[in-house]
Amino acid sequence: MSGLTDWLSDTSPISRKNAAEAIFEDLRSAITSGRLAVGTRLPSEAQMAGRYGVSRPIIREALRSLQTLGLTQTRTGSGTYVLTASPNPDLNYGGYSSRDLIEARPFIEGPAAGWAALRRSEQQLAALLAICDEMDRQTDPHQWVLLDSGFHSAIAEASGNAVFAKIVADARDALMQQSELVNLMAGRRVASNIEHRQIVDAIREGSEERAREAMEAHLGEVKQVVTTIIGNDPAQPLQ
């Protein structure tokens, strides 16, 4: 029996709660361990949905992050193939690399949070609090990522600085890909929710220093996870 056939026959129904994370981790483990060898064409979404007992959109979500990690490649009209057993040391999210985001975000989103503490309107503050409330309630990983993206964009808007707002908007797709990968691999949603609250608390109090520091601390945690995922500090030159 081939590795793929053996893996596919080993049905693994899982709980719907955090389903995409569990599927992503199972697939990632099968690839990095060599059980799904380089060059293997993965089963169809329908086959994998049957194997795991979930819907195809959940499978799609896990596959997106495998591709972001560089482990697989989807070929139009052909399918998804295992590309490598090791994560790409320089993750790329469309037009931006992991290093681009790690280096730039503290210099954009830290000051943006600080200015938001001084300039935000009551309406903008209410919107940020509403996003935090929704993120606390959200259990669907993809919906959480959309809210996470909205949170960071809302802070950039509340800064009153059009340059910050435009940069965050331009990088939004890349930030969402990074957020989805980080949360599928590290399960940081609860911790991120707490960190987001700390940022908004500082903005509500009008503390520029605290808001900036809270955002920088949050981005520092993200950097640590990305570094762990790819096995080196993305802010440093590749050896």
Side-chain angles (χ1 to χ4, degrees), residues 126-187:
L128 284 168
L129 289 168
I131 293 173
C132 286
D133 290 342
E134 182 60 27
M135 293 181 84
D136 285 340
R137 292 189 295 266
Q138 186 57 248
T139 58
D140 180 88
H142 185 62
Q143 292 302 314
W144 188 94
V145 166
L146 292 173
L147 289 165
D148 182 48
S149 173
F151 176 83
H152 287 275
S153 294
I155 287 179
E157 290 287 344
S159 75
N161 186 302
V163 175
F164 289 154
K166 186 175 190 308
I167 291 173
V168 173
D170 286 347
R172 188 163 185 169
D173 285 348
L175 293 173
M176 287 177 61
Q177 289 182 56
Q178 184 183 72
S179 178
E180 187 169 49
L181 178 62
V182 164
N183 285 288
L184 280 177
M185 290 199 68

Side-chain angles (χ1 to χ4, degrees), residues 71-206:
L71 295 178
T72 63
Q73 181 183 60
T74 299
R75 302 170 190 169
T76 303
S78 179
T80 298
Y81 294 80
V82 177
L83 196 61
T84 178
S86 301
N88 190 328
D90 190 21
L91 297 179
N92 193 283
Y93 314 103
Y96 299 94
S97 70
S98 58
R99 184 173 64 181
D100 292 335
L101 298 180
I102 291 299
E103 289 178 352
R105 293 185 72 184
F107 295 98
I108 298 164
E109 297 191 65
W115 284 117
L118 300 177
R119 295 172 175 168
R120 56 82 181 166
S121 67
E122 289 300 319
Q123 184 177 9
Q124 288 170 328
L125 175 61
L128 284 168
L129 289 168
I131 293 173
C132 286
D133 290 342
E134 182 60 27
M135 293 181 84
D136 285 340
R137 292 189 295 266
Q138 186 57 248
T139 58
D140 180 88
H142 185 62
Q143 292 302 314
W144 188 94
V145 166
L146 292 173
L147 289 165
D148 182 48
S149 173
F151 176 83
H152 287 275
S153 294
I155 287 179
E157 290 287 344
S159 75
N161 186 302
V163 175
F164 289 154
K166 186 175 190 308
I167 291 173
V168 173
D170 286 347
R172 188 163 185 169
D173 285 348
L175 293 173
M176 287 177 61
Q177 289 182 56
Q178 184 183 72
S179 178
E180 187 169 49
L181 178 62
V182 164
N183 285 288
L184 280 177
M185 290 199 68
R188 264 191 45 81
R189 290 207 304 272
V190 173
S192 288
N193 288 348
I194 293 171
E195 291 157 15
H196 288 172
R197 288 278 184 188
Q198 292 170 341
I199 295 167
V200 175
D201 284 345
I203 290 174
R204 175 166 48 189
E205 293 170 8

Side-chain angles (χ1 to χ4, degrees), residues 5-62:
T5 303
D6 182 51
W7 174 83
L8 189 58
S9 66
D10 182 16
T11 56
S12 303
I14 60 172
S15 165
R16 289 189 63 82
K17 185 177 182 180
N18 300 327
E21 291 101 316
I23 292 166
F24 167 79
E25 184 53 41
D26 188 60
L27 287 166
R28 185 179 74 89
S29 176
I31 292 170
T32 57
S33 69
R35 193 174 182 194
L36 292 177
V38 172
T40 298
R41 178 184 175 182
L42 295 183
S44 68
E45 289 179 2
Q47 286 178 298
M48 286 196 282
R51 179 183 190 272
Y52 290 109
V54 299
S55 66
R56 290 174 64 178
I58 290 177
I59 296 297
R60 221 168 282 137
E61 186 174 341

